[in-house]
Amino acid sequence: MSSIKLIDQKMFRDAFLAGAYNLSNNKEIINELNVFPVPDGDTGTNMTLTIMSAAEEVKKLSSPSIDDLGKAIASGSLRGARGNSGVILSQLFRGFCKDIKGKKDISALDLASAFSRAVDTAYKAVMKPKEGTILTVAKGMAQKAFELVEVEDDVLIFLEEVVKFGDKVLAKTPDLLPVLKEAGVVDSGGQGLMEFMHGVLTSLKGGSVELKDAPAEKIEYPGLDIKNMRGSSREDISTADIKFTYCTEFICNLREPISDAEKEKFRDYLLSIGDSLVFVSDDEIIKIHVHTNHPGQAFEAALERGFLTNMKIDNMKEEHSERVLLEMEKVKNASFDMKKEEEKPAEPEGERKDFGFIAVASGEGLSDILKSSGVDYVISGGQTMNPSTDDFINAANTINADTVYILPNNKNIILAANQAAGLIKDKKLMVIPTTTIPQGISAMLAFSFDADSDANFEAMSDAINDVRSGSVTYAVRDTSIDGKEIKKDDIMGLSDKGIESVGNDISRVTVELIKAMADDDAELVTIYYGEDVGRDAAEKLVSYIEELDLGVDIELADGGQPIYYYLVSVE
């Protein structure tokens, strides 16, 4: 093996593309790594779409410098970021590329510094970082890099040891999250990161990684017993104890660029009055999220540096009960093509208005329902595909409004929507944290044209707490969860609390789900039937439920959604 002391721009370009291709080639392996047996598992697809967006920007460059490559990677991944895993990956690249800015070539010491900056950036961009995830794997490699750089300046030897250690950290992720330990799984986002790193190392060793169309075979790393492990695409598994009452978010629009030292001072102050800090900045804005007991103090500190927009304060103690299923609305056969509801016009349409709305949904019926409730633009996705940051930006650009509300309708989409909100300059984007379609519809019904943007945000956010969501789908593997034995192709009824019913008959499982969800306070049950359920079958189901006399009104709607036979809303 030859020695490498410095990575030049060509080596850097080739290594990044090799890493991107290796991640893409193994996306189906990552997609299949899922602790739950629902037909989802799109972590690999989300990470691939994120990194391939950056790869396309890199390939456009002719004779680029390291600075040029860094800008392309950071910008491409930021705008292409999809899902929680994709957003975190984009933040890792953003921090790495910012640290190598101005470099003519890259040494082992430069890599160690950039790894550290990458991890710091990613942790700060996540509302509630959890150990046992992609963040843990990245942090482990960064720490190993600083240990090694004191004794090793050969880039190849250095990176081999860093990657080897990253594999070991990945294998230990079940020890850090109880839910992973119980299921005997590793984190799929972490495995996606390691696929990238293995591609980088292959390129620097003189090998090549070609982009393939066919799914890769199962990969096993030397010395690791992960053959039977399934990765987990759950990127926000548990809820931390609430130490501070108010979830405070805002954008500080800087009067003028401030130094890194001043940013660190600002960040340190925010940490002194709270925790769970998200602090993402560029030369023009700082996007801030912090949990604190004194929101006013955070605002005052920001006002010393600029003016505020997109201000939002939530009382977390009142909203603590809202904890829904994390990633149960995904699809097994996610494709690469993001089908939008309509093509983006060159300019926003119509006269300027006060409010506009973007929602994410999959299924013609659900799209029509959302549009009839006032949504301007429906992005096709959710269960079948997580939209990118750029998809939200493009959608927002079509709406000629001062304030645009985004309804992600899936927990794995919220981070990308928030990232878009920080990049739009000519209007205010406000993300209502809806995690299901019923929540999105409930939020739209709570909107009032007579209220201002902040009052509507509060009302719409409150409304999603008044609806319970359920879904009926099939199992993709044998497993045991919450004391229930589940076999491949079993029908499962899922509520906000977990798996409520399992069986072989769709209608029976749906009835059991509704019985579990419709308590004494329930008044209305709305059933949205999917593309694999006929109208006649759905009407028979409703007739049977009405005969049970559960004390609720039943409404039936054609949702047309894939994968999920029924979506259920209980109010």
Side-chain angles (χ1 to χ4, degrees), residues 493 500-503 507-517:
E500 299 282 7
S501 56
V502 179
S507 295
R508 180 174 298 175
V509 169
T510 305
V511 170
E512 291 175 357
L513 171 66
I514 292 173
K515 284 182 177 179
M517 294 176 62

Side-chain angles (χ1 to χ4, degrees), residues 338-413:
M338 187 63 189
K339 297 179 179 179
K340 293 189 175 61
E341 168 83 6
E342 54 193 54
E343 292 296 324
K344 180 178 78 67
E347 297 292 338
E349 296 180 331
E351 295 182 3
R352 190 76 169 183
K353 57 184 180 177
D354 293 331
F355 304 107
F357 305 89
I358 298 169
V360 181
S362 182
E364 185 176 348
L366 294 178
S367 176
D368 290 343
I369 291 169
L370 286 164
K371 284 185 174 181
S372 68
S373 69
V375 171
D376 298 283
Y377 193 112
V378 177
I379 299 176
S380 179
Q383 294 97 329
T384 55
M385 175 62 69
N386 294 156
S388 69
T389 298
D390 211 29
D391 289 323
F392 287 112
I393 292 173
N394 290 335
N397 285 336
T398 72
I399 301 174
N400 196 7
D402 294 327
T403 299
V404 176
Y405 297 97
I406 297 178
L407 306 172
N409 297 334
N410 186 298
K411 189 149 193 174
N412 202 37
I413 298 175

